[in-house]
Structure formats: structure tokens, C-alpha cells
Amino acid sequence: MRIGEQLQQRRATLGKTLQSIADLTAMSLPQVSNVMTGKVDSRISTVEALADAMDATYVLVPKHLLPEIQRLLSGKAIGPDDVPTAAERILAAK
């Protein structure tokens, strides 16, 4: 997912308008819209300001760590999928 799409998703989750984001960042409404729709190639400082206005943080993740980050963010535990849960281990011991 591209950064503009992530910003749009965050804005929708918070129920904020483009105008409210523009007001918080002191950016023009067209500038905010263009960044979120990917119509312009923005500076990182612009993306950081937009993220901050939506109580989020822009983070650069090395590609080799991305699968673990995505797994963590999805709510899954870190590690192999086939590891039994604590409950399964207790029941198997009986």
C-alpha cells in the first residue's frame, strides 16, 4: 500500500476531513489532497507532517524486516504459525 493510501485510510479511520488536516498542518487543501491521492511526489517532511496531524508516525522499514512488521501489525504473534498455543501445550501434557 502506498503512503498516500495509508494516509487516506488513517484519515478515514479518524473521521477527519481534508480541511481539518490542512488546518492542522498549515498546508493548503489542494496540497493535502494531492499528497493523499498520489498526484504529487512529496517531501518526507510533508508526509511526516500529515502523519503527525493524524496522530501517526512515518517509519522507514528495511525490506527484510517488513514481513515481521506486517505480521506484528496484523495482530499475529511473531514466530512460526505452527507453534502450539499455551492452552494446546497444557492440554497435550495431560
Side-chain angles (χ1 to χ4, degrees), residues 3-4 7 27 35 42-54 56-58:
I3 190 70
L7 290 168
M27 293 180 201
V35 171
S42 298
R43 293 179 176 186
I44 297 234
S45 59
T46 301
V47 172
E48 288 175 326
L50 290 170
D52 190 50
M54 294 182 280
T57 301
Y58 173 81

Side-chain angles (χ1 to χ4, degrees), residues 7-51:
L7 290 168
Q8 285 182 31
Q9 186 178 46
R10 178 70 178 157
R11 183 179 70 83
T13 298
L14 296 174
K16 291 193 174 206
T17 65
L18 286 174
Q19 185 62 58
S20 67
I21 300 299
D23 293 342
L24 287 169
T25 58
M27 293 180 201
S28 69
L29 182 62
Q31 182 183 11
V32 171
S33 176
N34 287 338
V35 171
M36 290 195 179
T37 58
K39 291 181 181 175
V40 295
D41 191 11
S42 298
R43 293 179 176 186
I44 297 234
S45 59
T46 301
V47 172
E48 288 175 326
L50 290 170

